[in-house]
Amino acid sequence: MSPSIIIALLMGKSPQLQAVSELLARSGIHCSIFEAGRDLIHSVAEVRYDMLLIDDELPDIPAIDVVRAVRGAPARDVPIILLATDSSEDSLVDALDAGADDYVCRPLSSRVLMARIAALRRRVTGERLRQGLVVRAGPYQLNSVGRFATLRDERIALTPKEFDLAMLLFSNVGRVLPSSRIEQTVWRHELAPLSRALAGLVSRLRKTLRIGAENGVTITVVYAHGYRLDVLEEDAAPRLPAAGRRTVVRRFTES
């Protein structure tokens, strides 16, 4: 890895994580160390870090709140790995829902941690190369730089996971996307078989973007498979006479 990489390590008062800063230094990575969550939040507003490593046991505020605060800051696209003591599925899902990109349980393996850091940087670099992509479908437009949507020029704010889901669906108009692929894209792993997290996220996205036939775009549940987003032709909207019409799918465009 390049020695120009700067990683912020929010380690609270955990002496075990001192080894992490030493590991990063040996790898040629500059490491800024923080004990309090609020200090890191303030620093993120002023310094552009390449990645944040956040311990889940902090002296001032919950680590989840730090993640949420960072995701609401101007530098909200910084990659985040949560270093956790709790290996339960609920804690993992909560962390990823809050905006963490990865979740590594302690005790930490040096090789595993460095591999996770390298893999996350590769993925983020690829995503940043695609920044500037604008996806259009019907009256909607998704902007990858600001990670927001517009509906007939009305700007709509989206949570990180809402935007990831929207970008995946709007980039695959008319295609059935398996639930497993959506989960890997949005949560970076497949959810438990009985989890309702994906269904809940789809429901929230419909509400946030006001998706429905009245706006020319629908999301359909394909039983036992996944979800499909369709763009309706203008004459398929329900406000017009419905007799004898068919739903026609238009492909999205990029610019």
Side-chain angles (χ1 to χ4, degrees), residues 130-196:
R130 294 191 295 272
Q131 281 189 356
L133 175 69
V134 174
V135 174
R136 297 184 178 88
Y140 293 92
Q141 179 172 298
L142 299 181
N143 187 297
S144 292
V145 176
R147 292 178 65 82
F148 63 87
T150 58
L151 171 59
R152 299 186 182 90
D153 297 325
E154 174 192 350
R155 180 167 173 151
I156 302 174
L158 298 170
T159 67
K161 283 185 168 44
E162 286 174 346
F163 184 85
D164 289 344
L165 174 61
M167 181 60 78
L168 181 61
L169 290 172
F170 277 75
S171 297
N172 291 276
V173 169
R175 300 172 185 163
V176 177
L177 296 176
S179 296
S180 58
R181 178 182 173 187
I182 299 174
E183 292 166 3
Q184 287 284 0
T185 299
V186 176
W187 283 274
R188 315 304 178 194
H189 67 97
E190 291 186 25
L191 303 178
L194 299 180
S195 174
R196 297 289 300 164

Side-chain angles (χ1 to χ4, degrees), residues 223-246:
Y223 181 72
H225 286 86
Y227 294 85
R228 185 187 70 239
L229 183 139
D230 291 323
V231 177
L232 312 180
E233 290 290 358
E234 191 64 29
D235 64 354
R239 61 181 177 273
L240 298 178
R245 280 200 313 266
R246 294 184 302 163

Side-chain angles (χ1 to χ4, degrees), residues 25-81:
R26 290 197 301 271
S27 301
I29 299 173
H30 178 76
C31 183
S32 298
I33 299 175
F34 298 86
E35 288 189 358
R38 289 185 175 86
D39 291 340
L40 175 63
I41 292 170
H42 292 317
S43 182
V44 164
E46 301 174 354
V47 179
R48 185 167 182 82
Y49 296 104
D50 294 287
M51 188 174 296
L52 308 182
L53 303 181
I54 299 178
D55 186 42
D56 68 345
E57 294 185 342
L58 303 176
D60 54 342
I61 57 178
I64 291 293
D65 290 346
V66 176
V67 174
R68 292 193 181 107
V70 170
R71 288 300 181 229
R76 58 177 176 264
D77 62 338
V78 61
I80 299 175
I81 297 178

